[in-house]
Amino acid sequence: QQFNIIIANINRNILMEDIKHYAKVLKSGGTLLLSGLYDKDLPMIKNEASEHQIEYINHYEKHNWIAAKFQKK
């Protein structure tokens, strides 16, 4: 099954492991919203997502916590 949007609010380690699974079921042009991350985690998440053809779009930060938006190529 393929999805237009996936939303995950989990810690960095689980997200790092699961991005490859999200990439398999996210439609091309689909949106991946991730939260539950510290701002320092974003570079690692962006890199992992990029390796699976998921492009960083932007993020929102509040008190060192972020929510980030990505899109599958």
Side-chain angles (χ1 to χ4, degrees):
Q1 190 171 11
Q2 296 281 294
F3 299 94
N4 292 315
I5 187 167
I6 296 173
I7 302 170
N9 180 21
I10 311 172
N11 70 51
R12 179 199 69 208
N13 294 333
I14 293 172
L15 289 173
M16 290 289 290
E17 180 63 31
D18 287 353
I19 285 175
K20 63 181 172 264
H21 301 297
Y22 302 150
K24 290 179 183 177
V25 297
L26 189 61
K27 289 182 180 180
S28 180
T31 300
L32 175 61
L33 300 175
L34 303 178
S35 62
L37 303 166
Y38 290 113
D39 56 352
K40 66 180 182 174
D41 298 331
L42 186 58
M44 288 184 286
I45 295 292
K46 286 168 62 173
N47 185 51
E48 183 68 18
S50 179
E51 290 183 20
H52 296 283
Q53 305 304 308
I54 299 175
E55 179 179 29
Y56 168 78
I57 303 298
N58 59 23
H59 72 277
Y60 173 79
E61 180 179 344
K62 185 173 182 180
H63 305 294
N64 296 324
W65 288 94
I66 63 163
K69 180 179 180 180
F70 295 82
Q71 185 173 38
K72 185 167 182 189
K73 297 178 185 179

